[in-house]
């Protein structure tokens, strides 16, 4: 089956610093990847759509200058949380569709804690 | 306003029974409806999808129904086992083309006791 990895699986950083999260499709190419954020007992909320070779599309209310997305290759998208604050602490998950399939393959998630 | 609701936040059943989870939505017209399983601290895993013109879909012990008139999907796990304990998410796929983002419900956490 299709496999998506994320790195790191968890990270603790100090307020004001930046954190980069990587999302890789291991056995397929993904021209599009999605970044979600999930707070405890809440649904996955789409933050942005990452497009290989072009700019990401951000959902309303998500600051593009704070959450930088780079889709550098057909297998890698990165999310950088800049000047992180405690309220950015959350579970960040990426996903990718494979080919023309409707279902999506999710990474294992990254737990970010900002102190 | 647009809403997607999974009616029960938690569902507790005994091993061997059938678990039935509900997903209702308003002001959406999904082309597909998908169900995922999420274990604590992990990303969701795809289980089943059903098209708007399909009434029912089965896969092993899983069954999904989709009623576009009622705007509701039911997800059944028959002969449930403790290993089925997890959070189950329904997701709307509203686009005509593949590769678009999904809209998720909050999920129902199922606990199966032995």
């Amino acid at each position: 089956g299709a496999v998506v990895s994320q790195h790191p699986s968890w990270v603790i950083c100090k307020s004001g610093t930046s954190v980069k999260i990587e999302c890789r499709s291991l056995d397929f190419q993904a021209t599009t990847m999605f970044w979600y954020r999930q707070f405890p007992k809440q649904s996955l909320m789409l933050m942005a759509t990452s497009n290989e070779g072009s700019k990401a599309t951000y959902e309303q209310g998500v600051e593009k200058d704070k959450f930088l997305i780079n889709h550098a290759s057909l297998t890698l998208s990165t999310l950088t949380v800049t000047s992180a604050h405690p309220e950015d602490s959350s579970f960040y998950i990426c996903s990718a569709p494979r080919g023309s399939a409707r279902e999506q393959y999710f990474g294992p998630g990254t737990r970010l804690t900002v102190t | 306003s647009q809403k997607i609701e999974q009616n029960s936040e938690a569902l507790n059943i005994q091993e061997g029974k059938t678990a039935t989870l509900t997903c209702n939505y308003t002001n959406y017209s999904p082309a597909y409806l998908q169900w995922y399983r999420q274990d604590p601290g992990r990303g969701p895993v795809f289980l089943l999808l059903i098209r708007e013109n399909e009434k029912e879909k089965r896969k092993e012990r899983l069954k999904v129904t989709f009623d576009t008139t009622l705007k509701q999907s039911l997800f059944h796990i028959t002969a449930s086992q403790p290993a089925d304990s997890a959070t189950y998410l329904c997701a709307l796929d509203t686009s005509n083309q593949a590769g678009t983002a999904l809209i998720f419900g909050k999920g129902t956490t199922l606990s199966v006791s032995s």
Side-chain angles (χ1 to χ4, degrees), chain B residues 8-22:
Chain B
S8 301
E9 189 172 312
L11 180 63
N12 301 307
I13 64 169
Q14 280 193 315
E15 184 175 10
K17 301 290 186 185
T18 296
T20 298
L21 286 65
T22 305

Side-chain angles (χ1 to χ4, degrees), chain B residues 92-105:
Chain B
L92 303 184
D93 182 349
T94 59
S95 176
N96 289 325
Q97 55 184 133
T100 54
L102 302 175
I103 304 161
F104 283 89

Side-chain angles (χ1 to χ4, degrees), chain B:
Chain B
S1 62
Q2 294 176 314
K3 285 194 298 186
I4 174 170
E5 291 180 322
Q6 293 187 246
N7 290 8
S8 301
E9 189 172 312
L11 180 63
N12 301 307
I13 64 169
Q14 280 193 315
E15 184 175 10
K17 301 290 186 185
T18 296
T20 298
L21 286 65
T22 305
C23 177
N24 293 288
Y25 58 92
T26 55
N27 294 323
Y28 285 111
S29 297
Y32 298 78
L33 193 143
Q34 303 186 25
W35 284 87
Y36 289 79
R37 169 180 173 145
Q38 186 175 26
D39 289 285
R42 307 292 295 173
V45 174
F46 171 74
L47 295 174
L48 277 173
L49 75 77
I50 188 166
R51 292 184 175 85
E52 60 179 337
N53 60 354
E54 294 179 314
K55 295 292 185 187
E56 182 180 297
K57 202 80 169 281
R58 291 175 185 260
K59 179 183 175 183
E60 298 174 349
R61 294 185 295 113
L62 309 180
K63 183 177 86 171
V64 173
T65 63
F66 193 11
D67 188 325
T68 55
T69 302
L70 291 178
K71 297 185 183 297
Q72 179 181 81
S73 175
L74 299 179
F75 177 78
H76 306 273
I77 305 175
T78 58
S80 59
Q81 305 165 359
D84 295 326
S85 299
T87 296
Y88 292 86
L89 307 171
C90 73
L92 303 184
D93 182 349
T94 59
S95 176
N96 289 325
Q97 55 184 133
T100 54
L102 302 175
I103 304 161
F104 283 89
K106 279 188 184 180
T108 295
T109 299
L110 174 67
S111 297
V112 181
S113 55
S114 55

Side-chain angles (χ1 to χ4, degrees), chain A residues 20-89:
Chain A
K20 181 187 282 189
I21 302 170
E22 292 185 349
C23 176
R24 292 181 187 272
S25 55
L26 298 184
D27 54 354
F28 66 102
Q29 294 181 331
T31 54
T32 301
M33 290 183 174
F34 301 102
W35 286 97
Y36 294 86
R37 181 165 53 181
Q38 187 178 34
F39 292 104
K41 296 191 182 295
Q42 298 296 312
S43 62
L44 279 76
M45 296 302 296
L46 179 68
M47 299 176 65
T49 301
S50 174
N51 304 298
E52 190 269 337
S54 64
K55 290 183 180 180
T57 305
Y58 290 83
E59 295 300 297
Q60 193 172 13
V62 177
E63 300 174 55
K64 63 180 181 181
D65 294 331
K66 180 170 181 64
F67 298 99
L68 301 180
I69 290 172
N70 184 18
H71 199 139
S73 75
L74 287 171
T75 59
L76 173 64
S77 174
T78 60
L79 168 68
T80 301
V81 183
T82 62
S83 188
H85 291 286
E87 56 265 31
D88 298 323
S89 299

